[in-house]
Amino acid sequence: MSTANSLGNSKRGRRRGSEDTRELILTAARGLFAESGFDAVSIRQIARLAGVDPALIHHYFSSKDELFEACVELPANPAEVLAEIGDYPPNQRAEPLLLAVLGLWESPAQAALLALLKSAVNSPGRSALMRQVLGKLMLPRLILGLEEDPELQRLRGSLVVSQVFGLVMTRYVLKLEPLSSAPLPEVVRWAAPTVQRYLTGNLDGGELSGGLPEFVDG
Amino acid sequence: MSTANSLGNSKRGRRRGSEDTRELILTAARGLFAESGFDAVSIRQIARLAGVDPALIHHYFSSKDELFEACVELPANPAEVLAEIGDYPPNQRAEPLLLAVLGLWESPAQAALLALLKSAVNSPGRSALMRQVLGKLMLPRLILGLEEDPELQRLRGSLVVSQVFGLVMTRYVLKLEPLSSAPLPEVVRWAAPTVQRYLTGNLDGGELSGGLPEFVDG
């Protein structure tokens, strides 16, 4: 890439310079976000690490959210993908949620999503960024309007993620049949009760035998 | 590694030769299993591709199953991990199943399991092998004794995998809180009703509104 950039197009020198600055800011931001988490990092700290003026960061990125999204190169804007979810009452949110997320995986964005998933699995730093994408940009939309204490809301959100990510892994990465080639509306029908229970149902598992099997230390 | 092998231990030359042959067989088998699937590949084909006598394969591996397991370098024997699962009636199988699989992830085998997961996500060939590990070595044990047609059994199995894999991804790879640091028995309690429904429950989602939201084409 850098070879192609440095060959035969000297007119683009100035543009390249500005792209380099943007990349410098992104590299600094990625490192800090991964290390300390989105909330703990300020624009000022990122500017210091990148060796640029904070005003320059605002020139490239209109907000810290936008900078963060640029850091993880999301193939779609979570705010748009999940925009309609908050319009559904929490007890009817499972189906539209599954349709929105799995629908995105069945769109042309799939290749970019797969690359993102691979990078998260391969690198602890990218995995930390992905954790924050989920925690900052996606979970708040899923649990909007749940009338419970925040810790329980977050637990519900992370359980929803567990099922949605599991479907993604099984259907699009491992391609396990028959789940892999089943029509999307069928998959939604099978998994929606799970997601709905995680969102608003009883998590105590009262439907089951309840206690743990004897061979487990409780 | 090869440097270490070729230095200072000429006495082990013969042993290395035999390790090379074993590796030659494994490479041929990995390629064929990934390309054509476990069932379609014979020991004879593997021997031909590896350029060895079929009897030599039987010298190293007592069965095709054993050869296959060696191909994917499983950190644990699925037959042993899931041995007790079949002892539980299908309608009480979710809790012991989750305890067995997640318990393995919380054992010293975690590093090897993570390496296996990474390789499956990174390479289509390894992902094909992993699909067959699940389909051949694990799913049959999960769905043992379900009185339904085989296609529905496989669907139930793949849905179980979707939730179990999702828990693995969320808890051990992405480390999303609070799911990541919750005690294992709690996780089992939250997820067991999901797994149990996939195994033996109603998959038609009658508990929900049923129909798809209006914005989805049927």
Side-chain angles (χ1 to χ4, degrees), chain A residues 78-100:
Chain A
E80 285 169 25
V81 173
L82 300 179
E84 296 187 38
I85 304 304
D87 297 342
Y88 291 83
N91 65 357
Q92 292 170 29
R93 201 168 281 168
E95 291 183 8
L97 167 60
L98 283 164
L99 282 167

Side-chain angles (χ1 to χ4, degrees), chain A residues 88 95 122 131 190 194 197, chain B residues 122 174 190 197-198 211 215:
Chain A
Y88 291 83
E95 291 183 8
N122 286 321
R131 191 158 60 238
W190 298 322
T194 295
R197 175 173 155 268
Chain B
N122 286 323
L174 289 176
W190 297 323
R197 175 173 155 270
Y198 289 155
F215 63 86

Side-chain angles (χ1 to χ4, degrees), chain A residues 88 95 99 118 121-122 127 131 162-163 166 170 174-175 189-190 193-194 197-198 203-204 211 215-216, chain B residues 88 95 99 118 121-122 127 131 162-163 166 170 173-175 189-190 193-194 197-198 203-204 211 215-216:
Chain A
Y88 291 83
E95 291 183 8
L99 282 167
K118 284 183 188 185
V121 170
N122 286 321
S127 161
R131 191 158 60 238
S162 82
Q163 177 61 86
T170 314
L174 287 176
K175 300 194 169 82
R189 200 159 55 92
W190 298 322
T194 295
R197 175 173 155 268
Y198 289 155
L203 293 183
D204 287 336
F215 62 86
V216 175
Chain B
Y88 291 83
E95 291 183 8
L99 282 167
K118 284 184 187 183
V121 170
N122 286 323
S127 160
R131 190 158 61 239
S162 82
Q163 177 60 85
T170 314
V173 182
L174 289 176
K175 299 193 170 87
R189 199 160 56 94
W190 297 323
T194 295
R197 175 173 155 270
Y198 289 155
L203 293 183
D204 286 338
F215 63 86
V216 175

Side-chain angles (χ1 to χ4, degrees), chain A:
Chain A
M1 296 278 271
S2 70
T3 309
N5 260 353
S6 57
L7 282 176
N9 200 345
S10 56
K11 281 184 202 158
R12 297 186 61 205
R14 191 149 157 217
R15 172 113 180 269
R16 271 210 297 126
S18 114
E19 277 169 9
D20 288 350
T21 306
R22 188 173 182 278
E23 205 44 56
L24 206 64
I25 295 168
L26 284 173
T27 304
R30 275 192 198 104
L32 287 172
F33 284 144
E35 192 182 302
S36 310
F38 180 85
D39 287 329
V41 174
S42 69
I43 294 283
R44 191 164 294 273
Q45 279 176 289
I46 295 167
R48 198 159 48 225
L49 185 63
V52 303
D53 192 275
L56 196 58
I57 294 187
H58 287 295
H59 168 73
Y60 287 105
F61 305 98
S62 69
S63 66
K64 194 171 141 190
D65 270 14
E66 197 183 299
L67 172 57
F68 181 66
E69 287 175 40
C71 280
V72 284
E73 291 149 343
L74 293 178
N77 183 340
E80 285 169 25
V81 173
L82 300 179
E84 296 187 38
I85 304 304
D87 297 342
Y88 291 83
N91 65 357
Q92 292 170 29
R93 201 168 281 168
E95 291 183 8
L97 167 60
L98 283 164
L99 282 167
V101 178
L102 300 183
L104 187 64
W105 273 86
E106 296 185 17
S107 80
Q110 183 175 124
L113 288 167
L114 202 54
L116 204 63
L117 181 67
K118 284 183 188 185
S119 81
V121 170
N122 286 321
S123 137
R126 299 291 280 183
S127 161
L129 284 178
M130 180 60 54
R131 191 158 60 238
Q132 288 168 61
V133 169
L134 288 165
K136 284 282 142 198
L137 305 178
M138 306 192 73
L139 287 192
R141 293 168 202 283
L142 306 189
I143 61 185
L144 197 71
L146 296 189
E147 292 170 5
E148 289 168 330
D149 79 282
E151 184 68 0
L152 180 54
Q153 287 185 11
R154 276 194 296 271
L155 172 62
R156 289 186 179 282
S158 63
L159 286 167
V160 170
V161 169
S162 82
Q163 177 61 86
V164 175
F165 251 69
L167 286 170
V168 163
M169 283 293 290
T170 314
R171 185 168 163 89
Y172 309 114
V173 182
L174 287 176
K175 300 194 169 82
L176 193 66
E177 295 296 357
L179 188 57
S180 180
S181 51
L184 178 58
E186 291 283 288
V187 177
V188 171
R189 200 159 55 92
W190 298 322
T194 295
V195 171
Q196 195 56 61
R197 175 173 155 268
Y198 289 155
L199 274 177
T200 56
N202 171 23
L203 293 183
D204 287 336
E207 307 88 334
L208 277 185
S209 60
L212 290 163
E214 287 161 19
F215 62 86
V216 175
D217 293 333

Side-chain angles (χ1 to χ4, degrees), chain B residues 113-134:
Chain B
L113 288 167
L114 202 54
L116 205 63
L117 181 67
K118 284 184 187 183
S119 82
V121 170
N122 286 323
S123 137
R126 299 292 280 183
S127 160
L129 284 179
M130 182 59 57
R131 190 158 61 239
Q132 288 168 61
V133 169
L134 289 164

